Amino acid sequence: MELEKKHFELLPEAQKNWQNRPEWFFNRAHTDTYELWYEGRYKRAEVWQKKVMEQLVSKDKRVKSLLEFGCGTTRFTRWWKEIGIKATGGDISPLMLSQAVHLFDGDLVMADSHHMPFKDHTFDSLAFITTFEYYKDPVKVIRESARVAKYGIAMGMMNRNSPKVLRRRVQQVFGKNPFYVTATFYTPAMLIKIIEEALEGRDYTIEWSCTGLPKWFPVQQWSVPYGDFFGLYVKLNDVD
């Protein structure tokens, strides 16, 4: 008797949507090239992004452990230990995590950032690096972050105040650059308003800094809300 052959996808079509919409990180054509993108023309930007995030997070001397949600292939998650922080990675994409397990020697979890499978204050801090832009309910995510992280929340994201945002939207009109179709771009001021709503009643302080400026510009980082990327740190003060 000849057995019928069946073909199975790595990720079924029904699971390629998240938050009721298709996302690029459920598409293997995009996730398989993610690391190469960082090693190419994005390398210089990554260096400055890490400088900004290190300056912000390292000021909070209480932070020794960190959960990075939306860790992807763990590009940043691998880096945290270089500044003395033990990191754990979390992501919703099995395609991203299937690469992460080969690149990262720490703990990983597949979960939705709106419902983090951790007890209160499991980590000292929580980080989102170029992933917070994809959340439909950012207030809920921040509240969940403040529950799981004891001392602070670090965010690094694409800045709405950048000419590259317009370029990306034009590219999308012509069917190119699928990475930001569902992204919501924030300015530091816009993000701070969301934080204020999410953390009403909490005692906290916020610091932010921008980078992602042209090579020819006299500075590469400043406290002006213009540039392709900004980092922001919420320091929670009402904890022992």
Side-chain angles (χ1 to χ4, degrees), residues 160-175:
R160 190 181 183 92
N161 288 338
S162 168
K164 291 184 180 180
V165 170
L166 177 60
R167 185 185 70 187
R168 291 169 189 143
R169 295 311 189 199
V170 172
Q171 290 172 335
Q172 289 163 17
V173 170
F174 293 96

Side-chain angles (χ1 to χ4, degrees), residues 8 10 13-14 22-23 35 37 40 102 112 114 116 150 153 166 169 174 196 203 213 221 224 234 238:
F8 296 96
L10 179 62
E13 284 292 337
E23 297 286 6
E35 283 285 324
W37 189 54
H102 300 290
D112 189 324
H114 299 78
M116 299 181 189
K150 185 174 183 180
I153 306 168
L166 177 60
R169 295 311 189 199
F174 293 96
E196 289 173 346
D203 178 14
L213 298 153
Q221 179 185 349
V224 178
V234 182
D238 53 358

Side-chain angles (χ1 to χ4, degrees), residues 59 88-89 92 225:
K59 288 182 179 180
T88 296
I92 192 69

Side-chain angles (χ1 to χ4, degrees), residues 53-224:
M53 298 312 300
E54 178 179 3
Q55 290 171 13
L56 293 171
V57 179
S58 294
K59 288 182 179 180
D60 192 345
K61 302 303 182 183
R62 303 170 300 173
V63 176
K64 304 299 179 184
S65 66
L66 176 149
L67 170 64
E68 182 183 339
F69 240 100
C71 68
T73 59
T74 66
R75 190 75 192 187
F76 267 75
T77 323
R78 285 171 261 156
W79 165 77
W80 291 108
K81 66 179 181 181
E82 296 181 19
I83 61 172
I85 298 175
K86 181 181 179 181
T88 296
D91 204 286
I92 192 69
S93 170
L95 299 180
M96 286 292 210
L97 291 174
S98 67
Q99 297 182 58
V101 295
H102 300 290
L103 298 169
F104 181 58
D105 60 1
D107 294 328
L108 296 167
V109 62
M110 187 171 74
D112 189 324
S113 53
H114 299 78
H115 309 280
M116 299 181 189
F118 297 100
K119 295 179 180 180
D120 295 0
H121 294 175
T122 300
F123 301 92
D124 294 334
S125 184
L126 202 143
F128 301 100
I129 307 298
T130 62
T131 187
F132 193 82
E133 300 92 324
Y134 296 96
Y135 300 139
K136 273 190 172 182
D137 192 345
V139 170
K140 185 174 184 178
V141 172
I142 292 173
R143 287 174 178 164
E144 187 72 343
S145 303
R147 179 187 67 79
V148 173
K150 185 174 183 180
Y151 298 125
I153 306 168
M155 299 178 177
M157 62 183 67
M158 300 297 102
N159 188 5
R160 190 181 183 92
N161 288 338
S162 168
K164 291 184 180 180
V165 170
L166 177 60
R167 185 185 70 187
R168 291 169 189 143
R169 295 311 189 199
V170 172
Q171 290 172 335
Q172 289 163 17
V173 170
F174 293 96
K176 298 181 179 180
N177 197 343
F179 301 101
Y180 303 107
V181 173
T182 59
T184 298
F185 295 103
Y186 299 97
T187 64
M190 290 170 63
L191 181 58
I192 288 171
K193 284 187 178 181
I194 294 174
I195 294 169
E196 289 173 346
E197 178 182 354
L199 300 182
E200 184 178 2
R202 295 288 307 264
D203 178 14
Y204 60 90
T205 52
I206 293 176
E207 184 177 357
W208 59 267
S209 183
C210 280
T211 185
L213 298 153
K215 282 185 179 180
W216 51 264
F217 204 70
V219 296
Q220 291 301 306
Q221 179 185 349
W222 60 0
S223 297
V224 178

